[in-house]
Amino acid sequence: MSHACTLQVNGISYPLELDAGRTLLTVLRGELGLTGAKEGCDDSECGACMVLVDGRPVNSCSYLALQADGREITTVEGLAKGGELHPLQAAFLDEGGVQCGFCTPGMLISAEALLRRNPNPSEDEVRLALGGNLCRCTGYQKIARAVLAAAPGANA
Amino acid sequence: MTRGTYLEPASLDEALRLLAEHDGAALVAGGTDLVVGTRQGKRTLPETLVAIHRLPGLDGIAEEDGALAIGALATHDAIERSELVRGRWTALADASAIVGSPATRHVATLGGNLANASPAMETGAPLVVFGAEVELRGQGGSRTVPVEGLWAGPGRTTAAAGEMITGVRVPAPADGSGSAYVRLEYRRAMEIAVVGAAALVTIGAGAVSDARVALTAVAPTIVRSPAAEGALRGREPTAEAIAAAAAAVHDAATPISDVRGSDAYRRAMIEVMARRAIDVAARRAAGEAVPIPATMTVGGTR
């Protein structure tokens, strides 16, 4: 039995008919073609599927799409504006926080959620905020440095 | 994966009616246990889902008649950040602060943690030491059970079909009390207790006037340790007295071996967790501001 819902993703409204058990991740990637969020573990362990729902980080692999009906969803595709990289994206490049790139969308989203709430985090706060995101390449040092460099309060 | 039915009631009454009308319907709030359990193949998604994440009025965190009243839909993020909880019910803040990851804590609820009834749940032991009561509501009315009476075994509760947890009432600890929850963890995030312990210690005239100790992941449900509590009462909270009390938890600890730890390892470590929890609770009772979550302060992973 499918259910009508509307997902607001990166400022665009998508009317959809979805089965009850569909996860937000499969709908974003399948129906909407937004393949930035990744299926890593499909188990909430790795954070590669991270998106923002009403500004808060959510593991989209473990969240029912219908529960997000009418809420504001931001995926990694929604970070860059007008062809300009988001400051976090630029900092990840500058600091070498990207290697294979699989974890990067989730890292960026978790970092964005942190900086919206806390524009001047300590390194400990950055590491805690990224605790639900696994990276198998970088060793995390450069990712943490990138988030600190992108923090709006970093140069204040 | 089911093709089933998704229902989103607008009120608590409607939710209770839907639960009663649909045999086998399951409630879903944050979904962090229900949906993940499906992915892990532990169970299939129920045929009928009643989504309660937007029900109004069930996410409060407030002081009522001197007790802490928390709605079932309060998230761990909200509990962790509540100055009220951090101040007087500190062990609960210690626990909510280490549930899952930031993403988990933003959607996962206290009611869900209780209903999932995992013996490794983080919020159970703190609620047990505080003597919390859980409100269950069905179409026929509401009833209150002590939190220890909610759990029937791993993953099972005493809630009847058609009943849902609507809130938790947590009595205020006596003046001169401190509390703490700590766990053994292999990873900072997306972890549940390998073993864990909560302690509530009340100090008057330099000695422990009351103590409660509850243990996580060493029995089919969260359990208290009367022996550890008895060993503390009337004693000065010295390192020796705390170590002796922690060594007494084996009266209640009957752990199993599983993928997360052997029974022998759990028995060895529960004593360490109990010692840390009692120590932090006693320090807090004495007015020391031990940072939340205590697990990170006293030897968790970084």
Side-chain angles (χ1 to χ4, degrees):
Chain A
M1 173 178 177
S2 42
H3 300 72
C5 78
T6 302
L7 296 185
Q8 302 274 351
V9 186
N10 303 328
I12 300 171
S13 209
Y14 298 91
L16 295 161
E17 293 277 331
L18 298 174
D19 289 340
R22 292 292 301 282
T23 64
L24 182 55
L25 178 66
T26 65
V27 175
L28 291 172
R29 293 180 58 88
E31 272 79 353
L32 307 189
L34 295 169
T35 53
K38 301 287 187 280
E39 181 186 303
C41 65
D42 205 18
D43 198 11
S44 290
E45 296 283 342
C46 78
C49 65
M50 200 73 71
V51 301
L52 299 181
V53 177
D54 288 344
R56 294 169 163 196
V58 167
N59 285 308
S60 64
C61 77
S62 307
Y63 200 73
L64 297 175
L66 289 169
Q67 287 193 279
D69 185 15
R71 301 169 87 176
E72 196 68 44
I73 299 160
T74 305
T75 69
V76 70
E77 289 91 342
L79 291 183
K81 295 276 190 283
E84 288 285 315
L85 288 180
H86 183 283
L88 275 166
Q89 292 172 313
F92 269 59
L93 289 179
D94 289 347
E95 299 288 341
V98 178
Q99 286 188 31
C100 89
F102 192 88
C103 75
T104 310
M107 289 285 181
L108 289 167
I109 291 291
S110 285
E112 170 69 0
L114 168 70
L115 296 185
R116 284 189 189 185
R117 189 180 236 183
N118 179 357
N120 190 19
S122 66
E123 184 173 342
D124 270 0
E125 287 169 330
V126 169
R127 289 179 177 275
L128 279 175
L130 300 180
N133 295 81
L134 297 180
C135 171
R136 303 288 78 169
C137 307
T138 66
Y140 302 100
Q141 308 282 4
K142 295 176 176 181
I143 292 175
R145 275 212 295 276
V147 177
L148 288 168
N155 303 312
Chain B
M1 182 61 64
T2 178
R3 292 180 56 84
T5 304
Y6 176 90
L7 303 166
E8 202 174 309
S11 69
L12 177 57
D13 284 347
E14 189 189 351
L16 295 173
R17 180 173 59 74
L18 293 172
L19 261 189
E21 284 175 4
H22 295 268
D23 199 30
L27 297 168
V28 57
T32 55
D33 282 317
L34 187 80
V35 181
V36 172
T38 303
R39 312 228 87 58
Q40 293 171 336
K42 282 184 193 161
R43 52 185 172 257
T44 54
L45 210 55
E47 189 58 30
T48 303
L49 293 169
V50 178
I52 56 173
H53 62 302
R54 280 187 265 222
L55 280 187
L58 283 179
D59 62 352
I61 301 173
E63 195 165 355
E64 285 177 13
D65 304 325
L68 174 67
I70 307 186
L73 293 180
T75 64
H76 296 291
D77 181 70
I79 294 168
E80 172 196 352
R81 285 166 186 279
S82 161
E83 287 305 322
L84 185 62
V85 178
R86 296 171 75 90
R88 290 200 80 177
W89 292 273
T90 318
L92 182 58
D94 283 331
S96 280
I98 57 174
V99 170
S101 70
T104 314
R105 295 192 286 276
H106 279 115
V107 294
T109 63
L110 182 62
N113 204 213
L114 290 169
N116 195 51
S118 166
M121 67 186 298
E122 313 300 350
T123 61
L127 291 175
V128 165
V129 298
F130 291 128
E133 294 183 321
V134 178
E135 188 195 47
L136 292 161
R137 273 180 76 167
Q139 278 200 300
S142 70
R143 65 186 175 106
T144 298
V145 295
V147 66
E148 289 163 278
L150 178 70
W151 303 303
R156 292 187 297 118
T157 72
T158 57
E163 275 187 325
M164 95 180 230
I165 296 170
T166 48
V168 180
R169 187 181 176 281
V170 197
D175 288 344
S177 296
S179 65
Y181 174 72
V182 298
R183 74 176 176 199
L184 176 67
E185 59 188 15
Y186 298 138
R187 181 183 163 194
R188 183 78 277 281
M190 293 320 300
E191 179 66 302
I192 54 174
V194 181
V195 292
L200 171 63
V201 174
T202 309
I203 296 177
V208 175
S209 56
D210 197 12
R212 290 184 213 160
V213 176
L215 311 175
T216 307
V218 292
T221 62
I222 308 292
V223 287
R224 271 174 78 172
S225 170
E229 295 173 0
L232 282 168
R233 284 197 195 98
R235 300 278 309 272
E236 250 184 84
T238 59
E240 294 72 29
I242 291 170
V249 295
H250 301 289
D251 66 326
T254 54
I256 58 167
S257 293
D258 66 12
V259 66
R260 300 166 46 70
S262 68
D263 57 347
Y265 183 56
R266 282 193 164 103
R267 271 195 296 275
M269 290 302 106
I270 191 60
E271 196 175 315
V272 178
M273 293 304 119
R275 191 172 71 229
R276 289 178 182 173
I278 297 166
D279 175 55
V280 174
R283 284 156 60 191
R284 285 175 173 163
E288 187 181 335
V290 181
I292 300 165
T295 284
M296 284 183 63
T297 310
V298 293
T301 54
R302 290 299 295 270

